[in-house]
Amino acid sequence: MIYLELFLSFFKTGLFAIGGGLATLPFLYEIAAAHPDWFTAEMVADMLAVSESTPGPIGVNMATYAGYSAGGVPGALMATFSLVLPSFLIILLVAGFMARFRQNRFVDSAFLGLRPAVVALISVAFLEVLKASVFKVDAFLSSKKFAALFDLPSILLFAILALIAFRFKKLHPIVFILIGAVIGILFKF
Amino acid sequence: MHCCAFKAMWNLFVSFFKIGLFTFGGGYAMLPMIQREIVEKQKVCTEEEVLDYYAIGQCTPGVIAVNVATFVGYKLKGFWGGAVATLAVILPSLLIITAIAACLSSFAAFPVVQHTLAGIRVAVAVLVFRTVVQLYKKNLRSFFAALVFLAALVLSLIFRVGSMYIVVGAIILGILFGTFGRAKK
């Protein structure tokens, strides 16, 4: 029964794909190999492109798309639900545990080390985003032209938006995303 | 009391639906939205708590955006809070992807889409930048914190050590410092 198999495949993926949506890729290729009537390996690349172009977590988008390909709307629902279920249950366990032990001295100390480390991880993520959106490192590497590194329109937009962001802290993040989208279309970024 | 509980759940649902709808990119991209919707508007958690959830989410399986949603929802209203938040954050994806898959699998190739995304990416960079600066100010207040920050930064950026290992290492360092470092005083 297709829905049972979808459940098993995506539950497994949700359980073992650690560290970001792209970690689901190897599992998806496995599923493609085992169930060519659901979707093929080539289709995974297209799904990835769409998943990265739409809002929402990449892993969830991939599961929805793959599930739809395998079994229409019910397939999409089943795949997404199955992907999310393992982590949902695990987090509930951890959250329950944390609630009970929050006053514990060890847990407290653990978070003392945790927070600066997470700030570092987010900083690294920010640098990656900068690399992808403002400083086009890949273009620079492939063309070997120093000028390719600096995408002037992007840098300009970044500077302007940053000035606004730091000056007007009350503005909702959604505003910035919409401005980015509009400017992107208008100036063909 | 019953109607207040429903309202809280509804607000939770709406917030996470918005978060799911406007998160472009990796899990970190949801942090500015969470800061605004959950920390500032609804006051469900503090910024530090969100960081903690994000950190744990690096070590557990699953999509980090979903994990953080589950955590926050649980904090507000236990199991059902977690369920509502999780459902809300994945709903936009379900709707949008299903619509696109049904009609346009070549969606990503359209120039309009590419241009829009390029602009959005810059906006996301700005938002994450602002969040990072705020985080620096609030969380790097001791020598120990600065040390851990630098170590994590170097390990992740230069040596490409996985996030999970860095988080586990940071937890161990934290416990060691908490147990022995403070004892020196």
Side-chain angles (χ1 to χ4, degrees):
Chain A
M1 218 222 136
I2 189 179
Y3 298 116
L4 183 63
E5 287 173 30
L6 273 173
F7 174 77
L8 290 171
S9 302
F10 282 94
F11 187 87
K12 184 175 126 187
T13 305
L15 188 57
F16 293 108
I18 302 187
L22 295 174
T24 60
L25 279 177
F27 293 93
L28 286 169
Y29 283 121
E30 249 183 68
I31 297 175
H35 300 271
D37 51 324
W38 286 0
F39 53 89
T40 65
E42 289 79 28
M43 289 168 72
V44 173
D46 291 334
M47 290 187 214
L48 189 61
V50 174
S51 299
E52 290 179 326
S53 315
T54 53
I58 293 180
V60 174
N61 290 346
M62 291 296 282
T64 308
Y65 208 137
Y68 181 86
S69 186
V73 173
L77 289 172
M78 179 55 94
T80 308
F81 169 76
S82 315
L83 184 86
V84 165
L85 192 61
S87 49
F88 175 69
L89 295 171
I90 291 175
I91 295 291
L92 284 184
L93 274 171
V94 173
F97 178 84
M98 262 173 70
R100 209 115 50 89
F101 290 91
R102 198 60 191 86
Q103 304 306 318
N104 181 297
R105 218 188 62 224
F106 288 115
V107 173
D108 216 38
S109 308
F111 285 128
L112 207 66
L114 204 54
R115 288 186 194 140
V118 176
V119 178
L121 288 177
I122 299 174
S123 304
V124 173
F126 164 66
L127 289 173
E128 294 287 320
V129 176
L130 211 60
K131 193 176 110 174
S133 60
V134 179
F135 294 106
K136 309 280 188 278
V137 177
D138 293 328
F140 165 62
L141 288 173
S142 60
S143 70
K144 305 272 184 243
K145 283 194 202 142
F146 190 66
L149 187 61
F150 301 101
D151 182 358
L152 206 57
S154 297
I155 296 179
L156 210 60
L157 181 61
F158 182 88
I160 296 174
L161 285 180
L163 279 169
I164 301 177
F166 280 93
R167 174 75 181 76
F168 299 100
K169 305 212 188 224
K170 294 280 180 191
L171 278 179
H172 199 291
I174 292 181
V175 172
F176 292 90
I177 293 187
L178 289 173
I179 294 179
V182 169
I183 302 275
I185 299 179
L186 281 180
F187 293 93
K188 297 200 192 293
F189 268 58
Chain B
M1 204 54 204
H2 186 70
C3 86
C4 283
F6 179 76
K7 196 157 193 271
M9 284 294 218
W10 174 249
N11 288 335
L12 186 71
F13 178 83
V14 170
S15 284
F16 274 104
F17 185 86
K18 277 197 245 176
I19 291 169
L21 189 58
F22 288 98
T23 295
F24 286 87
Y28 56 83
M30 77 178 323
L31 289 176
M33 290 284 304
I34 290 194
Q35 171 67 18
R36 169 54 64 100
E37 288 286 320
I38 302 297
V39 177
E40 291 172 17
K41 256 193 187 175
Q42 292 197 50
K43 307 203 193 301
V44 176
C45 321
T46 65
E47 192 182 56
E48 281 75 32
E49 283 173 318
V50 175
L51 269 189
D52 298 341
Y53 301 153
Y54 185 82
I56 296 174
Q58 299 280 344
C59 305
T60 55
V63 176
I64 192 156
V66 175
N67 291 346
V68 173
T70 312
F71 258 124
V72 173
Y74 180 86
K75 173 149 200 247
L76 183 66
K77 285 269 173 215
F79 174 84
W80 288 111
V84 166
T86 305
L87 193 71
V89 89
I90 66 177
L91 197 59
S93 291
L94 277 171
L95 296 170
I96 293 175
I97 294 288
T98 308
I100 292 179
C103 313
L104 305 156
S105 52
S106 55
F107 173 75
F110 290 121
V112 173
V113 175
Q114 294 300 320
H115 296 320
T116 314
L117 278 172
I120 290 180
R121 255 180 249 134
V122 175
V124 170
V126 169
L127 289 170
V128 175
F129 179 56
R130 183 171 70 172
T131 299
V132 166
V133 169
Q134 278 163 209
L135 289 175
Y136 283 157
K137 287 187 193 165
K138 288 184 91 180
N139 289 289
L140 300 185
R141 292 206 146 148
S142 71
F143 183 66
F144 173 72
L147 213 62
V148 172
F149 169 79
L150 278 170
L153 194 69
V154 168
L155 282 172
S156 175
L157 195 60
I158 301 180
F159 295 100
R160 305 237 161 244
V161 175
S163 303
M164 187 174 75
Y165 300 109
I166 293 183
V167 169
V168 171
I171 289 178
I172 295 175
L173 277 178
I175 293 179
L176 285 175
F177 179 73
T179 315
F180 301 112
R182 287 195 237 176
K184 281 184 187 161
K185 292 185 187 159

